[in-house]
Amino acid sequence: MRAFDTALGNGEDRGSKSYVFLLLPGASMLSFSAAVEPLRMANKLSIRTVYEWLTVSLDGESLQFSNGVNVAVDGRCLLPDKPDFAFVVAGNELSAGQEKSAARWLYTHYRAGARVGSVGGGARIMAQAGLLEDRAFTLHWEDQPGFRERHPFLDPEDRLYCEDDNVITCGGGMAAADLTLNLIEQDFDRDFAMSVSEMCVHFGLRQGEERPKSSISMTLGSRNPHLITATRIMSDNLEDILPMDFIARSSGVSRRQLERLFKTYTGRSPASFYRDLRLERGRQLLRDTDYKVIAISAACGFSSVTSFSRSFRKKFGFCPIQSRKV
């Protein structure tokens, strides 16, 4: 394991940065863990403690995550404590009083100069605190339709995470890890952030503007279950290409029906859509790794570098090697 002689602030040793996480009942344990674990890994890779964090709840008592696991917190969300970052991690079932208290806590930290953020359903708290007006923000794709109905003048973006001034929002799940890795990269550099990512067994450094993979229905513009299932099967099998008959059968339709669905909603054949998914994966690997083109072509299900390069150039307008310079 490589150790880094790290110092925050472009070489200036300013001590550790502090995070406080307000956990609310029904929050996603995955989202919270994904947000905090990169901080722990950063400390592990560094020769000193570069990040500190606390967990708080509204009443200082333990709470239950959405998966039924109970967790103790460090204390109650009392003020004034002045962290560098204040995040709220929320679920979907909160009382009006809980939302109001959490919003007041978050807004107070924002006024005190902290960078404030939400993970998953926490965007509702941000909205109640008045922090999302005229800002780019996001939340979990599944929660977006209901959020839009509740806040018709706020328009969430279909992104992994958003940073707008001192306000940060994240769709939750593993996107929380991408957000924290991005913040670590801002504090240090890409090499250190990549090392933290590798320690988390997390692939690369996804940028905030990337769309959540799970947001398939929004990307396709359809909630057709057969189409969504087929797309998920394709996305999960980019290296070992599956026969189209198998994909259709696994999606509950005939091959002809599947072709009609893809033509109607994507304007492409299933095979063309599948190939584009593999090429997008190839471009991501070229951008975020040092893998050789031959390894990337194999990882994307192409039989040869020549076949991969030809398809890549046709789709993107330049060859794989050139993409590393774009």
Side-chain angles (χ1 to χ4, degrees):
M1 181 177 68
R2 179 184 175 190
F4 289 78
D5 185 2
T6 52
L8 291 168
N10 297 319
E12 180 184 356
D13 189 345
R14 300 189 298 114
S16 61
K17 281 196 172 180
S18 58
Y19 285 70
V20 59
F21 294 91
L22 172 58
L23 306 181
L24 296 174
S28 165
M29 189 174 191
L30 172 60
S31 296
F32 169 65
S33 297
V36 76
E37 278 299 299
L39 302 178
R40 184 179 71 85
M41 289 299 183
N43 285 345
K44 186 173 182 179
L45 280 175
S46 178
I47 63 174
R48 65 188 185 88
T49 299
V50 292
Y51 293 110
E52 297 177 340
W53 58 90
L54 290 172
T55 57
V56 297
S57 64
L58 292 175
D59 57 7
E61 299 297 322
S62 62
L63 66 144
Q64 189 175 80
F65 282 118
S66 59
N67 60 6
V69 173
N70 292 300
V71 60
V73 296
D74 294 310
R76 187 179 176 186
C77 58
L78 297 174
L79 298 170
D81 50 328
K82 295 184 178 181
D84 296 298
F85 293 85
F87 279 88
V88 60
V89 188
N92 295 318
E93 299 180 3
L94 295 174
S95 68
Q98 288 173 323
E99 286 195 2
K100 185 175 181 180
S101 295
R104 183 167 56 247
W105 176 86
L106 203 62
Y107 185 73
T108 302
H109 279 303
Y110 174 77
R111 288 293 301 272
R115 298 188 72 184
V116 298
S118 68
V119 178
R124 299 196 315 279
I125 308 300
M126 302 282 275
Q128 178 140 342
L131 296 173
L132 298 183
E133 295 178 10
D134 300 319
R135 294 186 189 277
F137 72 95
T138 192
L139 68 157
H140 194 282
W141 63 270
E142 191 176 37
D143 298 331
Q144 290 189 17
F147 181 92
R148 284 190 170 98
E149 288 198 11
R150 186 175 179 183
H151 303 281
F153 299 107
L154 295 177
D155 188 21
E157 299 188 10
D158 185 24
R159 298 174 56 172
L160 295 176
Y161 58 85
C162 293
E163 294 181 78
D164 193 329
D165 192 21
N166 279 341
V167 175
I168 305 168
T169 51
C170 174
M174 290 308 299
D178 295 296
L179 169 61
T180 304
L181 288 166
N182 176 264
L183 296 175
I184 291 172
E185 182 181 2
Q186 291 176 27
D187 288 333
F188 301 104
D189 55 35
R190 188 173 183 81
D191 285 344
F192 183 68
M194 281 293 291
S195 294
V196 173
S197 176
E198 290 168 1
M199 286 293 293
C200 293
V201 197
H202 181 73
F203 174 76
L205 301 176
R206 294 190 295 174
Q207 301 303 302
E209 61 270 16
E210 294 187 32
R211 288 185 171 186
K213 180 180 177 182
S214 297
S215 185
I216 293 174
S217 62
M218 295 182 66
T219 301
L220 295 173
S222 169
R223 291 184 177 274
N224 185 285
H226 306 298
L227 186 64
I228 292 173
T229 298
T231 304
R232 282 179 174 155
I233 291 172
M234 292 177 183
S235 298
D236 292 337
N237 295 275
L238 299 180
E239 181 173 357
D240 299 317
I241 308 306
L242 299 175
M244 206 53 63
D245 286 335
F246 176 86
I247 294 175
R249 188 165 58 251
S250 300
S251 303
V253 294
S254 68
R255 178 165 180 170
R256 181 172 295 182
Q257 287 175 306
L258 189 66
E259 289 172 348
R260 283 200 296 265
L261 284 171
F262 272 90
K263 187 66 175 178
T264 299
Y265 291 104
T266 73
R268 287 173 285 175
S269 69
S272 176
F273 187 91
Y274 200 179
R275 183 177 60 251
D276 284 350
L277 287 177
R278 292 153 54 205
L279 290 170
E280 289 286 358
R281 172 66 165 173
R283 185 163 72 164
Q284 185 183 38
L285 287 169
L286 286 162
R287 184 192 62 204
D288 291 338
T289 75
D290 294 325
Y291 298 160
K292 293 183 178 180
V293 176
I294 187 173
I296 292 175
S297 65
C300 297
F302 288 87
S303 59
S304 68
V305 174
T306 301
S307 175
F308 173 67
S309 298
R310 186 188 303 117
S311 297
F312 193 97
R313 179 186 286 275
K314 184 176 180 180
K315 178 172 176 59
F316 299 116
F318 44 81
C319 70
I321 294 297
Q322 289 174 317
S323 75
R324 283 186 158 146
K325 302 175 183 178
V326 175

